[in-house]
Amino acid sequence: MANTSKLNPMKRRDLAYYRQRQKNRVFTSLVEFFAKEAERRGVTKKQLAEALSKDPSQITRWLSAPSNFELDTLSDILLALDAEMDTRIVRFADRAKPNYAHPLVAVHIGKETVHQSSSVTTETKRTSAVAKVSHASVEVTIDADVAAVAS
């Protein structure tokens, strides 16, 4: 039977990769937020467990490694921390190219670049600088390309 879908068939490898990447991103965001709240407000895992009526070991498991959170669980944790997740969906075509050269790297390899994101435009230009440093019997000469980054 011919594929009549307007979408390309998904490879199992791609599915597994993007699923894990999404889990890692959610986990990292949650752990970073919890760490900030723990520092800012003194919130502990035990207090979070009490607020959620969960065993403290469950909280430790959730905050120790990426797992397959249900959205309800994530929402409950954030609600207990007086927060909610702000989400956005981005098409691959709208994301920055994965192999684009960072402006500082582009200057080093001899390219002039202009990078524009949704909120910031940066422009780099290549210039050269030479610095000599002398101390006692050691003389060091540094010849480097210097990036001028304008926002």
Side-chain angles (χ1 to χ4, degrees):
M1 185 169 170
N3 181 6
T4 58
S5 172
K6 293 182 181 181
L7 302 175
N8 294 327
M10 300 289 298
K11 295 179 183 172
R12 290 181 67 192
R13 183 187 73 172
D14 291 340
L15 286 172
Y17 171 78
Y18 285 101
R19 286 176 180 173
Q20 189 60 48
R21 186 167 88 166
Q22 191 66 27
K23 287 178 197 176
N24 292 345
R25 287 178 174 174
V26 169
F27 171 76
T28 300
S29 295
L30 178 63
V31 169
E32 286 175 355
F33 182 77
F34 179 78
K36 288 176 188 173
E37 289 298 290
E39 185 176 321
R40 187 176 73 84
R41 294 180 14 199
V43 177
T44 65
K45 291 178 186 177
K46 183 178 180 184
Q47 291 168 336
L48 182 59
E50 290 169 358
L52 295 172
S53 300
K54 297 287 184 186
D55 189 80
S57 65
Q58 180 65 50
I59 305 300
T60 298
R61 281 193 298 274
W62 285 339
L63 298 178
S64 295
S67 62
N68 200 11
F69 279 119
E70 291 184 4
L71 290 177
D72 291 344
T73 302
L74 180 61
S75 178
D76 293 349
I77 293 169
L78 292 174
L79 184 60
L81 296 171
D82 297 325
E84 67 178 344
M85 185 166 245
D86 186 19
T87 59
R88 66 185 181 103
I89 298 173
V90 181
R91 283 182 277 138
F92 288 122
D94 295 339
R95 296 184 67 95
K97 300 261 188 261
N99 290 332
Y100 103 98
H102 186 279
L104 297 176
V105 173
V107 167
H108 182 68
I109 61 176
K111 294 182 180 178
E112 276 193 21
T113 65
V114 175
H115 175 69
Q116 185 169 7
S117 67
S118 60
S119 60
V120 177
T121 300
T122 59
E123 183 176 346
T124 61
K125 294 186 179 181
R126 184 178 181 156
T127 59
S128 293
V130 176
K132 281 191 176 184
V133 179
S134 297
H135 181 68
S137 62
V138 178
E139 184 174 301
V140 177
T141 302
I142 301 170
D143 185 1
D145 292 324
V146 179
V149 179
S151 296

